[in-house]
Amino acid sequence: MRVVVTGTPGTGKTTATERVADGLDLDVVHLNRLVKDEGLWTERDEDRDTLVVDLDAARDELGDWGGVVESHLAHHFEADRVVVLRCRPDILEQRLLDRGESEAKARENRESEALDVILGEAVEFHGEDAVYEIDTTERDPDAVADDIAAVVAGERDPSAGTVDFIDYL
């Protein structure tokens, strides 16, 4: 079983998947860490203060993987199920500011979340029947981890399009 957990930065992917890994016997790959550790990027985007990931190199590095891959780019990888973590845009923006992101980066991610950018890409790449939305707004990370575990176990129905933050634009 291959499950990717994706979402706008600040939605809680890393925290939740670390707790899923602790609760289940699953390998979890934190793609952003792998990219940095293995040099799987092509350039640094100075304006956005981020690395441009070489997705082909990352796919090659993962090989024939199983378990969970987590990243805001994870939906670009082949998977059986795609979990998209969501968060109310104003709270997401504050989370990013609290962890030291620039105002411009926090604002860009707030807008992306309100516009369903990652959800739209996930549905486009994988189809609605493979996508599971989980709203992390003001939720305990253990509860989010339980929801992800339910997706992994096949105990939850696909739910693309159930979270709507368009009013936050």
Side-chain angles (χ1 to χ4, degrees), residues 87-98 106-107 109-111 113-114 137-138 165 167-169:
C87 181
R88 206 173 76 204
D90 58 326
I91 291 175
L92 179 121
E93 181 178 29
Q94 191 58 55
R95 286 180 185 177
L96 293 172
L97 291 170
D98 289 348
R107 183 175 47 255
N109 284 296
R110 180 195 69 214
E111 292 169 0
E113 183 69 357
T137 305
E138 298 179 354
F165 294 128
D167 292 340
Y168 286 89
L169 282 177

Side-chain angles (χ1 to χ4, degrees), residues 83 134-135 139 142-152 156:
V83 176
I134 298 173
D135 187 353
R139 292 191 62 214
D142 288 327
V144 175
D146 288 345
D147 285 348
I148 294 169
V151 171
V152 171
R156 185 176 170 138

Side-chain angles (χ1 to χ4, degrees), residues 117-135:
V117 170
I118 289 180
L119 173 66
E121 290 177 354
V123 168
E124 178 183 345
F125 299 153
H126 298 277
E128 284 186 25
D129 291 341
V131 177
Y132 302 77
E133 268 187 293
I134 298 173
D135 187 353

Side-chain angles (χ1 to χ4, degrees), residues 40-139:
L40 305 174
W41 49 279
T42 57
E43 64 182 290
R44 176 175 290 282
D45 181 337
E46 298 296 337
D47 293 336
R48 297 165 111 188
D49 189 29
T50 189
L51 299 175
V52 178
V53 176
D54 183 338
L55 290 173
D56 290 332
R59 282 186 195 94
D60 290 345
E61 183 71 23
L62 285 175
D64 186 23
W65 64 278
V68 175
V69 171
E70 168 273 314
S71 168
H72 68 289
L73 298 172
H75 58 284
H76 290 278
F77 293 81
E78 292 294 322
D80 301 301
R81 297 184 181 131
V82 179
V83 176
V84 181
L85 298 188
R86 306 294 308 277
C87 181
R88 206 173 76 204
D90 58 326
I91 291 175
L92 179 121
E93 181 178 29
Q94 191 58 55
R95 286 180 185 177
L96 293 172
L97 291 170
D98 289 348
R99 71 182 196 195
E101 299 294 350
S102 70
E103 287 187 26
K105 193 170 195 174
R107 183 175 47 255
E108 177 185 12
N109 284 296
R110 180 195 69 214
E111 292 169 0
S112 293
E113 183 69 357
L115 292 169
D116 300 337
V117 170
I118 289 180
L119 173 66
E121 290 177 354
V123 168
E124 178 183 345
F125 299 153
H126 298 277
E128 284 186 25
D129 291 341
V131 177
Y132 302 77
E133 268 187 293
I134 298 173
D135 187 353
T136 66
T137 305
E138 298 179 354
R139 292 191 62 214

